[in-house]
Amino acid sequence: MKVLHINAGLFGDNSVSTQLSGKVVQRLQVENSNAEIKTRDLASEPVSHLDAEIIMAASTDQQDRSPRQAEELKVTEALLDEIFAADVLVIGAPMYNFTIPSQLKAWVDRIAQAGRTFRYTENGPEGLLTGKRAYIASARGGFYSEGEASALDHQESYLKTVLGFIGITDVIIIRAEGVNISDSQRQESIQAASKDIDALSVG
């Protein structure tokens, strides 16, 4: 089993989403001793955000590409190779301002490509990355999973939508909410999420 581990928390080991995603990976390794783990930390090694030059790189003839286009195209292809090869994705995704960090959005923009990870058909778009599972380790400063505040969730809802769009519909969310309310609430939420990870069926 090949696991692609993506982290987007800006605070390294102090990031709750990073801690939880690491625990998910450990859980997978316990159940699959031969698991191959590829980790990409988007905070310490950010992917450039799309601009016109990067977008046009693939459609520009090789001899006409700028040095930056050539380099950025290599990055894009490496990211695509990683997700193509993965059987399982583990994404550490904190909520920043009601949505995902821009570093994670930059990664999404590289791997969501027509003709590569999805295609347009007469019946609408079709995801091409079928047969994969994704675990989202979600951390939120407040509470957004129910009630009126759930309308503000553009983090988990967005990730589930974009993953489904590229064909990954088997998505499991492990959530720690209210981590900025108080120290006691932070610990309580992390412990509850850790129990959820221990109870995962990862076979």
Side-chain angles (χ1 to χ4, degrees), residues 133-171:
R133 172 179 286 183
Y135 296 91
I136 298 173
S138 168
R140 298 158 158 197
F143 294 93
Y144 301 94
S145 60
E146 56 187 21
E148 292 183 3
S150 63
L152 302 176
D153 169 26
H154 307 290
Q155 169 219 16
E156 293 176 7
S157 60
Y158 171 75
L159 285 174
K160 287 186 70 175
T161 297
V162 76
L163 289 171
F165 190 80
I166 62 175
I168 304 174
T169 57
D170 184 1
V171 179

Side-chain angles (χ1 to χ4, degrees), residues 59-70:
S59 60
T60 301
D61 289 340
Q62 185 174 354
Q63 65 271 17
D64 296 328
R65 289 174 190 149
S66 68
R68 180 170 178 262
Q69 282 182 314

Side-chain angles (χ1 to χ4, degrees), residues 38 40 72-83:
K38 168 64 181 179
R40 182 171 287 275
E72 291 293 345
L73 189 57
K74 288 181 182 178
V75 173
T76 298
E77 290 301 317
L79 297 175
L80 285 167
D81 286 345
E82 288 171 2
I83 198 167

